Amino acid sequence: MDRRQISQLAHADHPIAAPLADDTVRRLLDRAVGTDAERVLDLGCGRAEWLQWLLALNPRVRAEGVDTDAGALALGRSGAEDLGVADRLALHEADAAAFTSPHPFDVVLSVGAAHAFGGLLPTLAAAREHLAPGGRVLIGDGFWEREPDAAALDGLGAAADEYDDLATTVDRVVADGWTPVYGHVSTLQEWDEYEWCWTGSLAQWALDHPDDPGSATAYRAAADHRAGWLNGYRHTLGFVTLVLRVSP
């Protein structure tokens, strides 16, 4: 069982792959899309959950998503069919960092996918390439709530310089030529719900499929993740989602 299979199973009960509550997702989409956006792009869309929500809420919008995970994209197409929005959704199996399009987009999303670009600022650089004049970017990434100790870094498999604190993170975004017009910092409740769903969904699948060749791997991955979170990065890793416009 590879990392992508584990991720799909772990997100069964929390398909938005970020520590964000449903109401938060709706509010962020409302702020990003507004009343005028018609074309939206998600770079690193996974199962295209953000786009499915967006299309269900906004019948005027057409959307495209890009990801390298064919299995996740297949789930996205199936979900869009179930919602009746598949005719307004195009999903591309491609490297999001290298994706090109013949037209710009009113909104570009990339939430929790900065690793695919090499960090937050490279993600914003990629988004800028696709953004129409006056458009908005919706981006989400981690930051340090407090200085990470060895347990937090071990739990995440991360380096101390992988993130900055919240103020420095926003300062870097502003210095890169962006103006935040809205933002949300994930609460501890949102984080806990996400992590309990992640570890619980995966563990439950393993318990329900003891004869599957991947069962032991999934069970161990859930246990390791739970230990890394509870004994390591809980209260240390934060997550901020920003709605941005290009600065004058």
Side-chain angles (χ1 to χ4, degrees), residues 101-114:
S101 173
H103 48 253
F105 295 85
D106 303 307
V107 180
V108 179
L109 290 78
S110 190
V111 179

Side-chain angles (χ1 to χ4, degrees), residues 43-44 66-69 92-100 115-117 126 130:
L43 295 172
V66 187
D67 205 280
T68 58
D69 188 340
H92 309 278
E93 184 182 349
D95 180 355
F99 177 72
T100 60
H115 58 278
F117 300 88
H130 299 284

